Amino acid sequence: MVRWRAGTVAALRRQWTGAVELDVDLPDGTSMRALAYPELVGTPEPGDRVLLNAGALLMGLGTGGYALVVALPDRLPPDPPAALDTRDAGHLVKARYTPLQPILLGVDEEASPHHELLAGAESLDGMPVVTADLHSALPAILAGIHADAPQARVAYLLTDGGALPAWFSRTLAGLADRLVGTISVGQAFGGDLEASTLHSGLLAARHVLGADVAVVAQGPGNLGTGTRWGFSGVAVGEAVNAIATLGGRPVGSLRISDAEPRPRHRGVSHHSLTAYGRVALAPADLVVPDGLDPALATEVDAALAPVARRHRIVTVPVDRLDAALRGSPVPLSTMGRPLDGDHAYFLAAAAAGRHAAALAG
């Protein structure tokens, strides 16, 4: 449950889109690193008293290594300028029935300027959509897309398996000029557009943002329990189904690694094998980068053999992809490993992006 702390803001540190990092002094003389979302709680200043949810920090969770500011109780932010007692400014509630639930304008609800367009939208018109288990794949997928199609319009759909606020992701803030927009779907929020479901978000990516390619992945903070079904990336399989239902082209970015110390994630991660092999009922293009280390390639081929009964296994050349990855505007890191620490992982994601760009024409 919640582990509460109260303290005083000592200093502001890094800031990026939608988030402020700060140091908070506690009454016992210690301090905590904390994160505030100004859209939710207001903008903290040194000397402000803050209430914190410190559980993730105290447990030492990697991605959640902050205490989170719940309130500035002595200096509450004003109501939003568009706050009304009607639904005219939107009534889409996310992080529902939690104390910080935001009320937002959904891209397809009646008050949205896009309502009429989306009310009649039924198809993605064959748009390729890359699905990925981890948020860390996003910049690598983008690198692969733009290596061959630098003008491609790419939309990102933030699903709710990891961080709910888009503002948590420094990666996303650094990629803003490489995307035509971010759509937060389900319980996730803070994107350029808000959608209640992945289906409506995908249609908005195509028809509102005019995307040529879309990428679907959860935010930072993958949940895994070490069991076959207990991980947040299982939603990747459901994403494949949604994409196919709407007439898109699902492209699977496989989680491939020869650097991962946990056996269940070596070769092809069991997350990919379960999501695509057991949950996805529609066929997808599952991309394998050419030129993997022979031992790893053999392991990958064996792992994908059962999955090939439903999906298309596509081998994609990797020329120039390493340079594209090294030119990423944001640092590449997965599970604490940089590009050269898990090269096969990032190469697989970039290859999926390259294949999607080819499908988009």
Coordinates of all heavy atoms in Angstrom, one line a residue, residues 178-258:
R178 N 10.3 13.9 -33.4 CA 10.4 12.8 -34.4 C 9.0 12.1 -34.5 O 8.8 11.2 -35.4 CB 11.4 11.7 -33.9 CG 12.8 12.2 -33.6 CD 13.5 12.6 -34.9 NE 14.8 13.1 -34.6 CZ 15.9 12.4 -34.8 NH1 15.9 11.2 -35.1 NH2 17.1 13.0 -34.5
L179 N 8.0 12.6 -33.8 CA 6.7 12.0 -33.8 C 5.7 13.0 -34.2 O 5.8 14.2 -33.9 CB 6.3 11.5 -32.4 CG 7.1 10.4 -31.8 CD1 6.9 10.2 -30.3 CD2 6.8 9.0 -32.5
V180 N 4.6 12.6 -34.9 CA 3.5 13.5 -35.2 C 2.6 13.7 -34.0 O 1.7 14.6 -34.0 CB 2.7 13.1 -36.5 CG1 3.6 13.2 -37.7 CG2 2.1 11.7 -36.3
G181 N 2.8 12.8 -33.0 CA 2.0 13.0 -31.8 C 2.0 11.7 -31.0 O 2.3 10.6 -31.5
T182 N 1.6 11.9 -29.7 CA 1.5 10.7 -28.8 C 0.0 10.7 -28.4 O -0.6 11.7 -28.1 CB 2.3 10.9 -27.5 OG1 3.7 10.8 -27.9 CG2 2.0 9.8 -26.5
I183 N -0.6 9.5 -28.4 CA -1.9 9.2 -28.0 C -1.9 8.3 -26.8 O -1.4 7.2 -26.9 CB -2.8 8.6 -29.1 CG1 -2.7 9.5 -30.4 CG2 -4.2 8.4 -28.7 CD1 -3.4 8.8 -31.6
S184 N -2.4 8.8 -25.7 CA -2.4 7.9 -24.5 C -3.8 7.2 -24.4 O -4.8 7.9 -24.6 CB -2.2 8.8 -23.2 OG -2.7 10.1 -23.3
V185 N -3.7 5.9 -24.3 CA -4.9 5.1 -24.4 C -5.2 4.3 -23.1 O -4.3 4.2 -22.2 CB -4.9 4.1 -25.6 CG1 -4.5 4.8 -26.9 CG2 -3.8 3.0 -25.3
G186 N -6.4 3.9 -22.9 CA -6.8 3.2 -21.7 C -6.7 4.1 -20.5 O -7.1 5.3 -20.5
Q187 N -6.0 3.7 -19.4 CA -5.8 4.5 -18.2 C -4.6 5.4 -18.3 O -4.4 6.3 -17.4 CB -5.6 3.6 -17.0 CG -6.8 2.7 -16.7 CD -8.0 3.5 -16.2 OE1 -7.9 4.5 -15.5 NE2 -9.2 3.1 -16.6
A188 N -3.8 5.3 -19.4 CA -2.7 6.2 -19.6 C -3.2 7.6 -19.9 O -4.3 7.7 -20.5 CB -1.8 5.7 -20.6
F189 N -2.4 8.6 -19.6 CA -2.8 10.0 -19.9 C -1.6 10.9 -20.1 O -0.5 10.5 -19.9 CB -3.7 10.5 -18.8 CG -3.1 10.6 -17.4 CD1 -2.4 11.7 -17.0 CD2 -3.2 9.5 -16.6 CE1 -1.9 11.7 -15.7 CE2 -2.7 9.5 -15.3 CZ -2.0 10.6 -14.9
G190 N -1.9 12.1 -20.6 CA -0.8 13.1 -20.8 C -0.3 13.1 -22.2 O 0.7 13.9 -22.5
G191 N -0.8 12.4 -23.2 CA -0.4 12.5 -24.5 C -1.0 13.7 -25.2 O -1.7 14.5 -24.6
D192 N -0.6 13.9 -26.5 CA -1.2 15.0 -27.3 C -2.6 14.8 -27.5 O -3.4 15.8 -27.6 CB -0.4 15.1 -28.6 CG 1.0 15.3 -28.5 OD1 1.4 16.4 -27.9 OD2 1.8 14.5 -28.8
L193 N -3.1 13.6 -27.6 CA -4.5 13.2 -27.7 C -4.8 12.1 -26.7 O -3.9 11.3 -26.3 CB -4.8 12.7 -29.1 CG -4.6 13.7 -30.3 CD1 -4.9 12.9 -31.6 CD2 -5.6 14.9 -30.1
E194 N -6.0 12.1 -26.2 CA -6.5 11.1 -25.2 C -7.5 10.2 -25.9 O -8.4 10.7 -26.6 CB -7.1 11.7 -24.0 CG -6.2 12.7 -23.3 CD -5.1 12.1 -22.5 OE1 -5.1 10.8 -22.3 OE2 -4.1 12.8 -22.1
A195 N -7.3 8.9 -25.7 CA -8.3 7.9 -26.2 C -8.7 6.9 -25.1 O -7.9 6.6 -24.3 CB -7.7 7.2 -27.4
S196 N -9.9 6.5 -25.1 CA -10.4 5.6 -24.1 C -10.0 4.2 -24.3 O -9.8 3.4 -23.4 CB -11.9 5.7 -24.0 OG -12.5 5.4 -25.3
T197 N -9.7 3.8 -25.6 CA -9.3 2.4 -25.9 C -8.2 2.5 -27.0 O -8.0 3.5 -27.7 CB -10.5 1.6 -26.5 OG1 -10.9 2.2 -27.8 CG2 -11.7 1.6 -25.6
L198 N -7.5 1.4 -27.1 CA -6.5 1.3 -28.1 C -7.1 1.4 -29.5 O -6.6 2.0 -30.4 CB -5.8 -0.1 -28.0 CG -4.7 -0.3 -29.1 CD1 -3.6 0.7 -29.1 CD2 -4.1 -1.7 -28.8
H199 N -8.3 0.8 -29.7 CA -9.0 0.9 -31.0 C -9.2 2.3 -31.4 O -8.9 2.7 -32.6 CB -10.3 0.1 -31.0 CG -10.2 -1.3 -30.7 ND1 -9.9 -1.8 -29.4 CD2 -10.3 -2.4 -31.5 CE1 -9.8 -3.1 -29.5 NE2 -10.1 -3.5 -30.7
S200 N -9.8 3.1 -30.5 CA -10.1 4.5 -30.9 C -8.8 5.3 -31.1 O -8.6 6.2 -31.9 CB -11.0 5.2 -29.9 OG -10.4 5.2 -28.6
G201 N -7.8 4.9 -30.3 CA -6.5 5.6 -30.4 C -5.8 5.3 -31.8 O -5.2 6.2 -32.4
L202 N -5.9 4.0 -32.2 CA -5.3 3.7 -33.5 C -6.0 4.4 -34.6 O -5.4 5.0 -35.5 CB -5.5 2.2 -33.7 CG -4.5 1.3 -32.9 CD1 -5.0 -0.2 -33.0 CD2 -3.1 1.4 -33.5
L203 N -7.3 4.5 -34.6 CA -8.1 5.3 -35.6 C -7.7 6.8 -35.6 O -7.6 7.4 -36.6 CB -9.6 5.1 -35.4 CG -10.1 3.7 -35.7 CD1 -11.5 3.5 -35.2 CD2 -10.0 3.4 -37.2
A204 N -7.5 7.3 -34.4 CA -7.1 8.7 -34.3 C -5.6 8.9 -34.8 O -5.4 9.9 -35.5 CB -7.1 9.2 -32.8
A205 N -4.8 7.9 -34.6 CA -3.4 8.0 -35.2 C -3.5 8.1 -36.7 O -2.8 9.0 -37.3 CB -2.6 6.8 -34.8
R206 N -4.3 7.3 -37.3 CA -4.4 7.3 -38.8 C -5.2 8.6 -39.3 O -4.7 9.2 -40.2 CB -5.1 6.0 -39.2 CG -5.3 5.9 -40.7 CD -4.0 5.9 -41.4 NE -4.1 5.6 -42.9 CZ -3.1 5.6 -43.7 NH1 -1.9 5.9 -43.3 NH2 -3.3 5.3 -45.0
H207 N -6.3 8.9 -38.7 CA -7.2 9.8 -39.3 C -7.1 11.2 -38.8 O -7.5 12.2 -39.4 CB -8.7 9.3 -39.2 CG -8.9 8.0 -39.9 ND1 -8.9 7.9 -41.3 CD2 -9.1 6.8 -39.5 CE1 -9.1 6.7 -41.7 NE2 -9.2 5.9 -40.6
V208 N -6.7 11.4 -37.5 CA -6.5 12.7 -37.0 C -5.1 13.2 -37.1 O -4.8 14.3 -37.6 CB -6.9 12.7 -35.5 CG1 -6.6 14.1 -34.8 CG2 -8.4 12.4 -35.3
L209 N -4.1 12.3 -36.8 CA -2.7 12.7 -36.9 C -2.1 12.5 -38.3 O -1.0 12.9 -38.6 CB -1.8 12.0 -35.8 CG -2.2 12.3 -34.4 CD1 -1.3 11.5 -33.5 CD2 -2.0 13.8 -34.1
G210 N -2.8 11.7 -39.1 CA -2.3 11.4 -40.4 C -1.1 10.6 -40.5 O -0.2 10.8 -41.3
A211 N -0.9 9.6 -39.5 CA 0.3 8.8 -39.4 C 0.4 7.9 -40.6 O -0.6 7.3 -41.1 CB 0.3 8.1 -38.1
D212 N 1.6 7.7 -41.1 CA 2.0 6.6 -42.0 C 2.2 5.3 -41.3 O 2.0 4.2 -41.8 CB 3.2 7.0 -42.8 CG 3.1 8.3 -43.5 OD1 2.0 8.5 -44.2 OD2 4.0 9.2 -43.4
V213 N 2.8 5.4 -40.1 CA 3.2 4.3 -39.3 C 2.9 4.6 -37.8 O 3.0 5.8 -37.4 CB 4.7 3.9 -39.4 CG1 5.1 2.7 -38.5 CG2 5.1 3.7 -40.8
A214 N 2.4 3.6 -37.1 CA 2.2 3.8 -35.6 C 3.0 2.8 -34.8 O 3.4 1.7 -35.4 CB 0.7 3.7 -35.3
V215 N 3.3 3.2 -33.6 CA 4.0 2.3 -32.7 C 3.2 2.2 -31.4 O 2.8 3.2 -30.9 CB 5.4 2.8 -32.3 CG1 6.2 1.9 -31.4 CG2 6.3 3.1 -33.6
V216 N 3.0 1.0 -31.0 CA 2.2 0.7 -29.8 C 3.1 0.1 -28.7 O 3.7 -1.0 -29.0 CB 1.0 -0.3 -30.0 CG1 0.3 -0.6 -28.7 CG2 0.0 0.4 -31.0
A217 N 3.3 0.7 -27.6 CA 4.1 0.1 -26.5 C 3.7 0.8 -25.2 O 3.2 1.9 -25.2 CB 5.6 0.4 -26.7
Q218 N 3.8 0.1 -24.1 CA 3.5 0.6 -22.8 C 4.6 1.7 -22.4 O 5.6 1.8 -23.0 CB 3.6 -0.5 -21.8 CG 4.9 -1.2 -21.6 CD 4.9 -2.4 -20.6 OE1 4.0 -2.4 -19.7 NE2 5.8 -3.3 -20.8
G219 N 4.3 2.4 -21.4 CA 5.2 3.4 -20.9 C 6.3 2.7 -20.1 O 6.4 1.5 -20.0
P220 N 7.3 3.5 -19.5 CA 8.3 2.9 -18.7 C 7.7 2.1 -17.5 O 6.7 2.5 -17.0 CB 9.1 4.1 -18.2 CG 8.8 5.2 -19.2 CD 7.4 4.9 -19.6
G221 N 8.4 1.1 -17.1 CA 8.0 0.4 -15.9 C 7.3 -0.9 -16.1 O 6.3 -1.2 -15.5
N222 N 7.8 -1.7 -17.0 CA 7.3 -3.0 -17.3 C 7.1 -3.8 -16.0 O 7.9 -3.9 -15.2 CB 8.2 -3.8 -18.2 CG 7.9 -5.2 -18.5 OD1 6.8 -5.5 -19.1 ND2 8.7 -6.1 -18.0
L223 N 5.9 -4.5 -15.9 CA 5.6 -5.4 -14.8 C 5.8 -6.8 -15.2 O 5.3 -7.3 -16.2 CB 4.2 -5.2 -14.3 CG 3.7 -6.2 -13.3 CD1 4.4 -6.0 -12.0 CD2 2.2 -6.0 -13.0
G224 N 6.6 -7.5 -14.4 CA 6.8 -9.0 -14.7 C 6.9 -9.7 -13.4 O 7.5 -9.2 -12.4
T225 N 6.4 -10.9 -13.4 CA 6.4 -11.8 -12.2 C 7.2 -13.0 -12.3 O 7.2 -13.9 -11.4 CB 4.9 -12.1 -11.8 OG1 4.3 -13.0 -12.8 CG2 4.0 -10.9 -11.6
G226 N 7.8 -13.2 -13.5 CA 8.5 -14.5 -13.8 C 7.6 -15.7 -14.1 O 8.1 -16.8 -14.1
T227 N 6.3 -15.4 -14.3 CA 5.4 -16.5 -14.7 C 4.9 -16.3 -16.2 O 5.2 -15.2 -16.8 CB 4.1 -16.4 -13.8 OG1 3.4 -15.2 -14.0 CG2 4.5 -16.6 -12.4
R228 N 4.3 -17.3 -16.7 CA 4.0 -17.2 -18.2 C 3.0 -16.1 -18.5 O 3.1 -15.4 -19.5 CB 3.3 -18.5 -18.6 CG 2.9 -18.5 -20.1 CD 2.2 -19.8 -20.5 NE 3.0 -21.0 -20.4 CZ 3.8 -21.4 -21.4 NH1 3.9 -20.7 -22.5 NH2 4.6 -22.5 -21.2
W229 N 2.0 -15.8 -17.6 CA 1.0 -14.9 -17.9 C 1.1 -13.6 -17.1 O 0.4 -12.6 -17.4 CB -0.4 -15.5 -17.6 CG -0.6 -16.7 -18.5 CD1 -0.6 -18.0 -18.1 CD2 -0.9 -16.7 -19.9 NE1 -0.8 -18.9 -19.2 CE2 -1.0 -18.1 -20.3 CE3 -1.1 -15.7 -20.8 CZ2 -1.3 -18.5 -21.6 CZ3 -1.4 -16.1 -22.2 CH2 -1.5 -17.5 -22.5
G230 N 1.9 -13.5 -16.1 CA 1.9 -12.4 -15.2 C 2.9 -11.3 -15.6 O 3.8 -11.0 -14.8
F231 N 2.7 -10.7 -16.7 CA 3.5 -9.6 -17.1 C 2.7 -8.6 -18.0 O 1.8 -9.0 -18.7 CB 4.7 -10.0 -17.9 CG 4.4 -10.7 -19.2 CD1 4.5 -10.0 -20.4 CD2 4.1 -12.1 -19.2 CE1 4.3 -10.7 -21.6 CE2 3.8 -12.7 -20.4 CZ 3.9 -12.0 -21.6
S232 N 3.0 -7.3 -17.9 CA 2.1 -6.3 -18.5 C 2.3 -6.4 -20.0 O 1.3 -6.0 -20.8 CB 2.5 -4.9 -18.0 OG 3.9 -4.7 -18.1
G233 N 3.3 -6.9 -20.6 CA 3.5 -7.0 -22.0 C 2.6 -8.0 -22.7 O 2.6 -8.1 -23.9
V234 N 1.8 -8.8 -21.9 CA 0.9 -9.7 -22.5 C -0.1 -8.9 -23.4 O -0.7 -9.4 -24.4 CB 0.1 -10.5 -21.5 CG1 -0.9 -9.7 -20.7 CG2 -0.5 -11.7 -22.0
A235 N -0.3 -7.6 -23.1 CA -1.2 -6.8 -23.9 C -0.7 -6.6 -25.4 O -1.5 -6.2 -26.2 CB -1.3 -5.4 -23.2
V236 N 0.6 -6.9 -25.6 CA 1.0 -6.8 -27.0 C 0.2 -7.7 -27.9 O -0.1 -7.4 -29.1 CB 2.5 -7.2 -27.1 CG1 3.0 -7.4 -28.5 CG2 3.4 -6.1 -26.4
G237 N -0.1 -8.9 -27.4 CA -0.9 -9.8 -28.2 C -2.3 -9.3 -28.5 O -2.8 -9.4 -29.6
E238 N -2.9 -8.6 -27.5 CA -4.2 -8.0 -27.7 C -4.1 -6.8 -28.7 O -5.0 -6.5 -29.5 CB -4.8 -7.5 -26.4 CG -5.0 -8.6 -25.4 CD -6.2 -9.6 -25.7 OE1 -6.7 -9.4 -26.8 OE2 -6.5 -10.4 -24.9
A239 N -3.0 -6.1 -28.7 CA -2.8 -5.0 -29.6 C -2.8 -5.6 -31.1 O -3.3 -4.9 -32.0 CB -1.5 -4.3 -29.3
V240 N -2.1 -6.7 -31.3 CA -2.1 -7.3 -32.6 C -3.6 -7.6 -33.1 O -3.9 -7.3 -34.2 CB -1.3 -8.6 -32.6 CG1 -1.5 -9.4 -33.9 CG2 0.2 -8.3 -32.4
N241 N -4.4 -8.1 -32.2 CA -5.8 -8.4 -32.5 C -6.5 -7.1 -32.9 O -7.3 -7.0 -33.9 CB -6.5 -9.1 -31.4 CG -5.9 -10.4 -31.0 OD1 -5.3 -11.1 -31.9 ND2 -6.0 -10.8 -29.8
A242 N -6.3 -6.0 -32.1 CA -6.9 -4.7 -32.4 C -6.5 -4.2 -33.8 O -7.4 -3.7 -34.5 CB -6.6 -3.7 -31.3
I243 N -5.2 -4.2 -34.0 CA -4.7 -3.7 -35.3 C -5.3 -4.5 -36.5 O -5.8 -3.9 -37.5 CB -3.2 -3.8 -35.3 CG1 -2.6 -2.9 -34.3 CG2 -2.6 -3.4 -36.7 CD1 -1.2 -3.3 -33.9
A244 N -5.4 -5.8 -36.4 CA -5.9 -6.6 -37.5 C -7.4 -6.3 -37.6 O -7.9 -6.3 -38.7 CB -5.6 -8.1 -37.2
T245 N -8.1 -6.2 -36.5 CA -9.6 -6.0 -36.5 C -9.9 -4.7 -37.3 O -10.9 -4.6 -38.0 CB -10.1 -5.9 -35.1 OG1 -10.0 -7.1 -34.5 CG2 -11.6 -5.5 -35.1
L246 N -9.0 -3.7 -37.2 CA -9.2 -2.4 -37.8 C -8.6 -2.3 -39.2 O -8.6 -1.2 -39.8 CB -8.7 -1.3 -36.9 CG -9.4 -1.1 -35.6 CD1 -8.7 -0.1 -34.7 CD2 -10.9 -0.7 -35.8
G247 N -8.1 -3.4 -39.7 CA -7.6 -3.3 -41.1 C -6.2 -2.8 -41.2 O -5.8 -2.2 -42.2
G248 N -5.4 -2.9 -40.1 CA -4.0 -2.5 -40.1 C -3.1 -3.6 -40.4 O -3.5 -4.8 -40.5
R249 N -1.8 -3.4 -40.4 CA -0.8 -4.4 -40.6 C 0.1 -4.5 -39.4 O 1.0 -3.7 -39.1 CB 0.1 -4.1 -41.8 CG -0.5 -4.2 -43.2 CD -0.7 -5.6 -43.6 NE 0.5 -6.4 -43.6 CZ 1.3 -6.5 -44.7 NH1 1.0 -5.9 -45.8 NH2 2.3 -7.3 -44.6
P250 N -0.2 -5.5 -38.5 CA 0.6 -5.7 -37.3 C 2.1 -6.1 -37.6 O 2.3 -7.1 -38.4 CB -0.1 -6.8 -36.5 CG -1.4 -7.0 -37.2 CD -1.2 -6.6 -38.6
V251 N 3.0 -5.4 -37.0 CA 4.4 -5.8 -37.1 C 5.0 -6.0 -35.7 O 5.0 -5.0 -34.9 CB 5.2 -4.7 -37.9 CG1 6.7 -5.0 -37.9 CG2 4.7 -4.5 -39.3
G252 N 5.5 -7.2 -35.4 CA 5.9 -7.5 -34.1 C 7.4 -7.2 -33.9 O 8.2 -7.7 -34.6
S253 N 7.7 -6.3 -33.0 CA 9.1 -6.1 -32.6 C 9.4 -7.2 -31.5 O 8.9 -7.1 -30.4 CB 9.3 -4.7 -32.0 OG 10.6 -4.5 -31.5
L254 N 10.3 -8.1 -31.8 CA 10.6 -9.2 -30.9 C 11.6 -8.8 -29.8 O 12.5 -8.0 -30.1 CB 11.1 -10.4 -31.6 CG 10.1 -11.1 -32.6 CD1 10.8 -12.1 -33.5 CD2 9.0 -11.8 -31.8
R255 N 11.4 -9.3 -28.6 CA 12.4 -9.0 -27.6 C 13.4 -10.1 -27.6 O 13.3 -11.2 -27.1 CB 11.7 -9.0 -26.2 CG 12.5 -8.6 -25.0 CD 11.7 -8.4 -23.8 NE 12.5 -8.3 -22.6 CZ 12.0 -8.2 -21.4 NH1 10.7 -8.2 -21.2 NH2 12.8 -8.1 -20.3
I256 N 14.5 -9.7 -28.3 CA 15.6 -10.7 -28.5 C 16.9 -10.2 -27.8 O 17.2 -9.0 -27.8 CB 15.9 -10.8 -30.0 CG1 14.8 -11.4 -30.8 CG2 17.2 -11.5 -30.3 CD1 14.9 -11.4 -32.3
S257 N 17.6 -11.1 -27.1 CA 18.8 -10.7 -26.4 C 19.7 -11.9 -26.2 O 19.2 -13.0 -25.9 CB 18.4 -10.2 -25.0 OG 19.5 -9.9 -24.2
D258 N 21.0 -11.6 -26.3 CA 22.0 -12.6 -25.8 C 22.8 -12.0 -24.6 O 23.8 -12.6 -24.2 CB 22.9 -13.0 -26.9 CG 23.7 -11.9 -27.6 OD1 23.5 -10.7 -27.2 OD2 24.4 -12.1 -28.5

